[in-house]
Amino acid sequence: MFTDKDSFKKVFSESLIGELGRPLEEATGADVYKILSGLIREYAGKDWAATNQNYKLQQEKQVYYFSMEFLIGRLLGSNLLNLGILDMVREGLSELGWNLEEIEEQESDAGLGNGGLGRLAACFLDSLASRQYAGHGCGIRYKYGLFEQKIIDGDQVELPDYWLQKGNEWEVRRADKSVEVRFWGRVDTRYEEGRWVFETQDYEAVSAVPYDVPVIGYGHHHVNTLRLWSAESTMITRKNVASKHDDYYKFLSYNRSVESISEFLYPDDSQYEGKLLRLKQQYFLCSAGLQSILRTFEKLGLPYTSLPDKIALHINDTHPTLLIPELMRILIDEQQMSWDEAWDITNRTVSYTNHTTLSEALEKWPTSMVKDLLPRVFMIIEEIDRRFCSLLLAEDPSNTDRVSHMAILGNDQVRMAHLAIVGSYSVNGVAALHTEILKKREMKSFYDQFPERFNNKTNGITHRRWLIHANPKLKQLISSTIGDKWITEPTDLLRLQDYASDSGFQTQIHQIKQHNKINLAAYIEEKNGVKVDPNSIFDVQVKRLHGYKRQLLNVLHIIHLYHEIRENPSMDRVPRTFIFGAKAAPSYYLAKRVIKLINVVADVVNNDPLVNDKMKVVFLENYSVSLAEKIIPAADLSEQISTASKEASGTGNMKFMMNGALTIGTMDGANVEMHESLGDDNMFIFGLRSDEVLDYYQHGGYDARAIYHQDPRVQRVLEDLVQEGPFSSAHRDFALIYDSILNHNDEYFVLKDFDSYVSTQLQVEQTYLDRAAWLNKSIMNIAHAGRFASDFTIDQYASEIWRIRPVHELIMK
Ligand code: 26V
């Protein structure tokens, strides 16, 4: 196709003419993006085919990562990088008069995820391919991704994200690989030739059509597949449409209901709601994914007893847990296996990751809903539950409390986490602290029952997207200082420790940070019309908006600072720019009030000449993967201030660290492990520890009002939320926030941690004044970030959970 810059330029120009009939001079940015991405897909196509061919020949064990979310963002840049042709293409385009970074902006973000869980799935796909594992993604091709956020008058407004409008250059529709998924109906049970036969009648059939996206690994011509399923009406139903007028309308309405299955991503991150359509989506993913996997498996010509040797099925949180009864159904009803045989295979094939201990996020489906929608699957869940409960009872006949506490079915609900644990051979948490909390508290009885299943896999991030692609100047500097080895072995970044106090190196780190800050400042001015000072501390909190993440603590500190500076305008304070980005679930009213509060505070602060040269506040709308890539490289300070015990891991914390930001944070999630590497010298830790928080939850004893009465600073900032004044008025009503703190006893301990947060922020300022000291810490952060590369995490999943090794013997181009 093309092998160097000149042949690239030639092929590119010819394709423009050949495919769009446009000469170079007349091409638009959109044309250039379309042709370029098409060429790249074709370029990777050979490797994709070769990888698949090799899997077939070697009969390699395949891992399938089932996830309702893959927050992959844009693919052009990361694909060029992983193919090793980024610089060549950038230069070639530049000689043709185009800037690659601007062309990248033409691509819509694939926002098929809510937050951490979905982005983790995307980082894992990148690492699976880059480390040459046979590991694929299995998800849903939502027509609408996570809503687009607009800020109007300070409020969040949600707009549909029709990301496919301009087409998706990376996907390939594979209609020939469609499968049928069945809903509703009733089960006929009969005894035939010595065994029970279960047959579902009068079901509604839906056609699941896969769209495959190549997942291109770094440097090895290794290309895996992300298979995203789309729901369509089946041909059979279409043919069944009689000429009768009435049936035609019935068909149209059936068609609409079918297509709604893959219509949109549920935006309610961390908040469970028992919606029928969501249950349909989950079963649709599990059934379609599993059928296509088993088709591939059957081509190997091996008995089903060898399934666990050839296939690993991983479920990302409980959302795809129906995989367990669905696999049982296929093995028993279609492969005529006995229960015990089927259970043994299922139990040795499925593994599960837990991503949260928030009780409001635990999925519990109403039994009647599962029973009606999936009658045969429900029978199997009942049987799994019956056997599990009798096992518990046999072990400890007097302890019926334990049985009802651990049962899969209880209170007319199907408890998905229980089903996931009982049906899997591995259950992992996503950071050391989180896994300990699962074992000792949230899932203690299951840990006591199956201790060998529980393990920790601390999350990671792909350094290719989050450092090499997002921060090319930093990448350049690192490579010219310690060589390129860190690119394939990220822990080699540790060698940067030797340069932490080197003033020449510090200056270069500083210059890169300034360059990134100037770029972000330009973006802020363009989007928000606010001029910010690139010499101020860029203090950043970007993540989903949730009570436990405590954006409120950050805002209360800003209000406090505002008062301090106004009272004493000549006071010597280091200028700060507070930057926020966050989407709130559309129905999470309190979270939306916090967005409004941030915007109101921003408006007041940014327009007050008394404070204005010392502080600015900006809320960047529509936080997304591509926006994160602009913000994170420009951050000085990373806010990771969740109520200890509540943030399972966090992954934003790792991205900031890798880009040289210092963290102010609680001892929560992966912050604990960051602190283990960095020590007190290189991280700002404050606030309650998780044990203290959990003890308060268990035994009570916290009184938010007492703090309000003791601390005049707290009183002042809280009264600002409800008294007529700079921040509040009749149409700026923050009484709900005030109530949540004082009348509902501050569930997330904002007041309790306020004092230590304020004093730690002062420490941050003092440190920033000493530029050499700050840069030293910044370099130490980059140096220790290699441990949090997802390549490392994936190696652990591969060897300890999935039992697979990298595939090195690929047929090369
Ligand atoms: C939950 C639900 C509940 C049902 C409705 C839709 C929906 C969508 C997403 C979720 C997932 C919430 C769990 C989650 O995202 N956890 C985050 O996982 C990250 C990756 O492990 C981790 O870093 C974050 O700490 C954790 O909050």
Side-chain angles (χ1 to χ4, degrees), residues 69 114-118 120 266-273 278 282 317 319 353-356 360-363 430 459 548-549 646-652:
E69 307 189 8
N114 271 285
L117 167 143
L120 185 77
Y266 274 92
D268 308 313
D269 169 88
S270 303
Q271 186 70 44
Y272 166 75
E273 264 194 285
R278 169 96 183 159
Q282 296 188 347
D317 219 301
H319 317 154
T353 299
N354 172 284
H355 294 267
T356 184
E360 65 268 31
L362 290 184
E363 293 190 295
V430 290
N459 283 167
Y548 83 80
K549 295 181 188 279
K646 295 271 174 188
E647 188 69 273
S649 163
T651 43

Side-chain angles (χ1 to χ4, degrees), residues 471 473-474 477 499-500 502-518 533-538 633-636 659-660 768-776 778-779 782:
N471 201 344
K473 288 203 153 43
L474 182 57
L477 174 62
Y499 300 85
D502 176 324
S503 67
F505 188 71
Q506 287 184 351
T507 306
Q508 295 183 77
I509 287 284
H510 178 69
Q511 283 166 348
I512 290 166
K513 188 60 85 181
Q514 287 311 111
H515 167 90
N516 295 336
K517 286 169 77 175
I518 289 166
D533 175 7
N535 292 313
S536 62
I537 300 175
F538 277 22
D636 295 307
N659 282 278
Y768 195 77
L769 280 174
D770 182 349
R771 181 176 290 175
W774 183 276
L775 288 166
N776 187 309
S778 167
I779 295 164
I782 304 168

Side-chain angles (χ1 to χ4, degrees), residues 100-371:
L100 177 62
E101 280 66 43
E102 283 167 24
I103 298 304
E104 286 183 49
E105 294 290 325
Q106 295 287 334
E107 183 171 353
S108 311
D109 267 46
L112 309 185
N114 271 285
L117 167 143
R119 183 55 232 176
L120 185 77
C123 284
F124 279 4
L125 289 184
D126 185 73
S127 286
L128 279 165
S130 296
R131 301 284 300 152
Q132 293 172 273
Y133 291 110
H136 313 277
C138 196
I140 294 179
R141 181 181 180 269
Y142 301 105
K143 189 165 162 194
Y144 297 94
L146 186 62
F147 65 85
E148 184 188 331
Q149 180 194 54
K150 287 264 175 238
I151 300 296
I152 297 177
D153 275 346
D155 284 307
Q156 165 174 300
V157 174
E158 302 94 23
L159 300 178
D161 165 47
Y162 189 22
W163 69 291
L164 291 166
Q165 191 159 33
K166 294 188 279 184
N168 177 4
E169 298 301 324
W170 304 113
E171 67 184 13
V172 186
R173 181 183 160 96
R174 302 235 193 254
D176 57 315
K177 298 216 174 345
S178 300
V179 297
E180 189 180 278
V181 177
R182 298 172 176 184
F183 296 103
W184 310 107
R186 59 188 163 77
V187 181
D188 272 358
T189 308
R190 53 179 194 275
Y191 197 74
E192 218 173 72
E193 293 171 23
R195 58 177 287 130
W196 287 101
V197 176
F198 303 91
E199 212 171 318
T200 309
Q201 308 285 356
D202 300 331
Y203 55 83
E204 184 178 286
V206 170
S207 173
V209 183
Y211 286 71
D212 286 354
V213 181
V215 181
I216 301 170
Y218 181 87
H220 297 289
H221 304 280
H222 190 105
V223 183
N224 289 327
T225 301
L226 168 59
R227 176 159 282 186
L228 298 175
W229 295 93
S230 180
E232 296 182 5
S233 54
T234 64
M235 285 312 285
I236 303 163
T237 321
R238 269 178 247 166
K239 279 187 204 135
N240 280 354
V241 176
S243 50
K244 275 198 328 203
H245 194 67
D246 180 40
D247 283 351
Y248 178 63
Y249 285 104
K250 265 195 201 143
F251 171 71
L252 288 184
S253 113
Y254 154 77
N255 206 39
R256 240 197 331 270
S257 100
V258 165
E259 284 174 4
S260 71
I261 296 174
S262 53
E263 187 104 319
F264 72 97
L265 165 77
Y266 274 92
D268 308 313
D269 169 88
S270 303
Q271 186 70 44
Y272 166 75
E273 264 194 285
K275 289 264 169 60
L276 176 66
L277 183 56
R278 169 96 183 159
L279 181 64
K280 270 188 161 179
Q281 290 184 334
Q282 296 188 347
Y283 182 67
F284 176 74
L285 167 66
C286 294
S287 177
L290 194 53
Q291 289 182 61
S292 89
I293 290 164
L294 295 182
R295 269 190 194 171
T296 312
F297 171 75
E298 284 180 4
K299 288 196 189 126
L300 298 176
L302 298 169
Y304 263 88
T305 44
S306 60
L307 194 77
D309 306 323
K310 292 294 166 194
I311 280 169
L313 303 173
H314 198 86
I315 58 179
N316 198 23
D317 219 301
T318 54
H319 317 154
T321 299
L322 291 171
L323 209 50
I324 292 164
E326 179 67 358
L327 180 54
M328 287 296 286
R329 185 188 68 76
I330 293 174
L331 295 177
I332 294 171
D333 294 358
E334 293 175 16
Q335 299 301 321
Q336 273 91 48
M337 277 188 183
S338 70
W339 180 277
D340 289 338
E341 221 176 351
W343 184 245
D344 175 64
I345 291 172
T346 302
N347 215 254
R348 290 193 293 126
T349 306
V350 180
S351 49
Y352 153 60
T353 299
N354 172 284
H355 294 267
T356 184
T357 53
L358 298 184
S359 54
E360 65 268 31
L362 290 184
E363 293 190 295
K364 295 184 186 96
W365 294 101
T367 40
S368 59
M369 200 189 272
V370 182
K371 191 174 178 175

